Amino acid sequence: MEISFTDIKQKFQGCGLKTTPQRAAIYDALLRSTTHPTAEELYAEVAPQFPMMSLNTVYYTLGVLRTSGLIHEVNIDHTRARFDANLSPHHHLICLGCQSIVDVIDPRLNRLTSPAGIPNDFEITSYQVAFRGLCGSCRRHTGRSINHSSPGLHPTTVKGGLHGKSS
Amino acid sequence: MEISFTDIKQKFQGCGLKTTPQRAAIYDALLRSTTHPTAEELYAEVAPQFPMMSLNTVYYTLGVLRTSGLIHEVNIDHTRARFDANLSPHHHLICLGCQSIVDVIDPRLNRLTSPAGIPNDFEITSYQVAFRGLCGSCRRHTGRSINHSSPGLHPTTVKGGLHGKSS
DNA sequence: TGCTAAATAGTAATTATTCCTAAACAGGAA
DNA sequence: TTCCTGTTTAGGAATAATTACTATTTAGCA
């Protein structure tokens, strides 16, 4: 995703945010990243350009961008927050071995029907599917054993292909 | 979900776990709960029965139960872990206002087709849909405004009913 | 060019969780 | 039943991520 400084500035202005070099660099780093980095990782990414920059600034900036809706927080495990500047509807593929997160872009997943049995005064504004399993590399290294200490694993085996019969 | 002490003991034995009163109480509390409590909340729930019990024991126990596959960790936000003893496939409805989590049980959601464009050596073992929005109570109190500081919100508006065409 | 509110950087504080260790105990063996 | 041993517990200390506080700096407007 290529984006110029001017583009970033316009986005920030559109949200009523001041444009500072640090802020632009953090946002740019997140836009270019595909790994859903943590605050610390973004800090490491941007720090070379701004040796005086504080990790605090990264946290503050991420908070501001999140509140403005320019980025999303992705919660894979409870230990640390990860961030995503990709606002288009997409889903995630999470490796339980190495905790990596890959974007899943499949339009079919954006057309789920409304779930049954939910309170009718609940207004759903979005939904997201998290696929979990083991990436090729982790399968080879761990002999396909699943790390049960990782979060959210369900016993449902999905295998190579999920079956798509309509109930 | 009703379960006797003997049932719990059998489950523990099946996993090679010793049965202690504290452990059984923690697991039982989680089985009876529908709110996906945190370690602290479970501690508060069980503490009256065991005044000497340490919060540490709750953490240790939850770790053991998770490793044994008896419970799951649910990650809604990065601030703290939440737990779920309901192992049957289900999904979650998350209120961005009050952070409450309600189970979504809809068989149609358990038959998603395999997502396109993922690495073909990735083995998916489970998936879970997180629906986000505002519960009735929070909508009334906040005037339907969505709290953008909450995690993972996507701009896709889902409204009352998602449309289920099979693109 | 100034003004002012917002942003930055630094330090300290907080919160959830994990680590460490001695004492207690569950469950199998004798 | 009683003993043994490894697991579990409880308590305190340590760690890691994040937030709070604050003085200084700066972006963006008048």
Side-chain angles (χ1 to χ4, degrees):
Chain A
M1 190 177 284
E2 284 296 320
I3 192 166
S4 71
F5 184 82
T6 323
D7 292 335
I8 291 178
K9 190 161 185 174
Q10 283 186 339
K11 278 202 181 189
F12 285 175
Q13 284 179 328
C15 298
L17 301 178
K18 289 187 178 180
T19 306
T20 67
Q22 296 95 326
R23 178 170 291 178
I26 292 167
Y27 182 55
D28 184 54
L30 194 53
L31 277 172
R32 283 184 291 97
S33 165
T34 59
T35 61
H36 311 77
T38 64
E40 197 95 33
E41 286 163 353
L42 283 168
Y43 177 62
E45 172 83 17
V46 174
Q49 306 168 55
F50 302 94
M52 300 304 292
M53 193 172 66
S54 155
L55 173 58
N56 210 331
T57 299
V58 178
Y59 276 107
Y60 178 82
T61 302
L62 290 171
V64 169
L65 295 177
R66 183 186 50 193
T67 303
S68 302
L70 288 175
I71 67 174
H72 291 150
E73 193 174 313
V74 186
N75 296 115
I76 297 312
D77 61 67
H78 67 85
T79 59
R80 53 228 210 296
R82 288 165 164 247
F83 298 88
D84 192 349
N86 176 6
L87 300 185
S88 64
H90 66 283
H91 306 273
H92 291 125
L93 185 60
I94 302 154
C95 177
L96 298 173
C98 59
Q99 305 291 317
S100 66
I101 310 174
V102 176
D103 282 342
V104 171
I105 298 165
D106 185 336
R108 291 176 298 168
L109 292 172
N110 301 331
R111 302 202 179 86
L112 294 192
T113 53
S114 179
I118 68 169
N120 58 11
D121 58 353
F122 196 110
E123 181 181 349
I124 296 175
T125 47
S126 74
Y127 66 87
Q128 202 164 33
V129 187
F131 295 92
R132 289 168 211 270
L134 285 178
C135 69
S137 166
C138 285
R139 274 172 60 199
R140 284 185 286 279
H141 287 82
T142 64
R144 340 178 106 245
S145 74
I146 301 284
N147 169 18
H148 274 294
S149 69
S150 291
L153 178 63
H154 275 194
T156 331
T157 295
V158 175
K159 299 208 203 90
L162 316 190
H163 28 287
K165 298 162 222 152
S166 58
S167 178
Chain B
M1 189 178 286
E2 285 297 320
I3 193 166
S4 71
F5 183 82
T6 322
D7 292 336
I8 290 179
K9 190 161 185 175
Q10 283 186 340
K11 278 203 179 187
F12 286 174
Q13 283 178 331
C15 298
L17 301 178
K18 289 190 176 178
T19 306
T20 67
Q22 295 94 326
R23 179 170 290 178
I26 292 167
Y27 182 55
D28 184 53
L30 194 53
L31 277 172
R32 283 184 291 96
S33 165
T34 59
T35 60
H36 310 78
T38 64
E40 196 96 35
E41 285 162 354
L42 283 169
Y43 177 61
E45 174 81 16
V46 174
Q49 304 168 57
F50 301 94
M52 300 304 291
M53 193 172 65
S54 156
L55 174 57
N56 212 330
T57 299
V58 178
Y59 276 107
Y60 177 81
T61 302
L62 290 171
V64 168
L65 295 178
R66 183 185 50 194
T67 302
S68 303
L70 288 176
I71 67 172
H72 291 150
E73 192 174 314
V74 186
N75 295 115
I76 296 312
D77 60 67
H78 68 86
T79 58
R80 55 228 207 296
R82 287 165 164 246
F83 298 88
D84 193 350
N86 176 5
L87 300 184
S88 64
H90 66 282
H91 305 274
H92 290 126
L93 184 61
I94 301 154
C95 177
L96 298 172
C98 58
Q99 307 290 316
S100 66
I101 310 173
V102 176
D103 283 343
V104 172
I105 297 163
D106 185 335
R108 292 176 297 168
L109 292 172
N110 301 331
R111 302 204 177 84
L112 295 191
T113 53
S114 181
I118 68 170
N120 58 11
D121 58 353
F122 196 110
E123 181 181 350
I124 297 175
T125 47
S126 74
Y127 65 87
Q128 200 165 34
V129 188
F131 296 91
R132 288 168 210 271
L134 285 179
C135 69
S137 166
C138 285
R139 274 171 63 200
R140 284 186 285 278
H141 286 83
T142 65
R144 341 180 103 245
S145 74
I146 302 287
N147 170 17
H148 274 295
S149 68
S150 290
L153 178 63
H154 275 192
T156 332
T157 294
V158 174
K159 297 207 204 91
L162 317 190
H163 29 286
K165 297 162 220 151
S166 62
S167 170

